């Protein structure tokens, strides 16, 4: 008899900048944009599993544009799906301002290696 396959839990972490003064509505919109963008780059197996597990999302803080880009590069280097969002500039921010980054859906441990030291929003 075959042993059941143990699958790692999946999640998505969205990092949002704290240094640009986004209002709550702007923050919510940027986080949503990032989440959907990264989802579009995830493979079908990861998406199915993530959906089956309830689509866990965690929002964390980053203090600068540089930190956002560093996280993005590290996640890409490890082969994780990412969604880096730049604002369109219609309301609070200048056009092209990087605001949020989603990493995953991917196994918890893989995402945590990159984002585990960040504070919750």
């Amino acid at each position: 008899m075959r042993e059941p396959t143990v699958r790692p839990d999946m999640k998505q972490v969205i990092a949002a900048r704290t240094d640009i003064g986004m209002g709550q509505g702007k923050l919510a919109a940027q986080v949503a944009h990032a989440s959907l963008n990264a989802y579009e780059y995830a493979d079908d197996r990861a998406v199915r599993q993530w959906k089956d597990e309830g689509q866990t999302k965690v929002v964390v803080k980053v203090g600068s544009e540089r930190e956002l880009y560093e996280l993005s590069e590290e996640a890409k280097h490890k082969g994780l799906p990412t969604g880096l969002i730049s604002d369109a500039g219609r309301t609070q921010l200048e056009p092209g301002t990087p605001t949020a980054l989603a990493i995953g859906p991917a196994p918890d441990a893989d995402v945590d290696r990159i984002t585990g030291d960040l504070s919750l929003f």
Side-chain angles (χ1 to χ4, degrees), residues 26-104:
K26 172 61 77 179
L27 173 65
Q30 299 303 299
V31 165
H33 290 319
S35 176
L36 286 171
N37 190 256
Y39 164 89
E40 292 173 344
Y41 290 104
D43 68 54
D44 291 341
R45 180 202 55 78
V47 167
R48 273 193 309 277
Q49 183 179 341
W50 184 55
K51 283 182 173 183
D52 289 347
E53 294 175 359
Q55 301 176 16
T56 300
K57 296 172 204 73
V58 179
V59 181
V60 297
K61 300 175 185 179
V62 294
S64 69
E65 179 177 338
R66 180 179 177 169
E67 191 175 359
L68 204 62
Y69 280 118
E70 287 172 353
L71 291 171
S72 178
E73 289 306 311
E74 186 176 354
K76 287 179 185 178
H77 180 73
K78 295 190 183 301
L80 302 180
T82 63
L84 180 61
I85 300 303
S86 294
D87 192 63
R90 292 187 194 81
T91 56
Q92 299 176 12
L93 304 172
E94 291 296 317
T97 303
T99 58
L101 167 72
I103 301 171

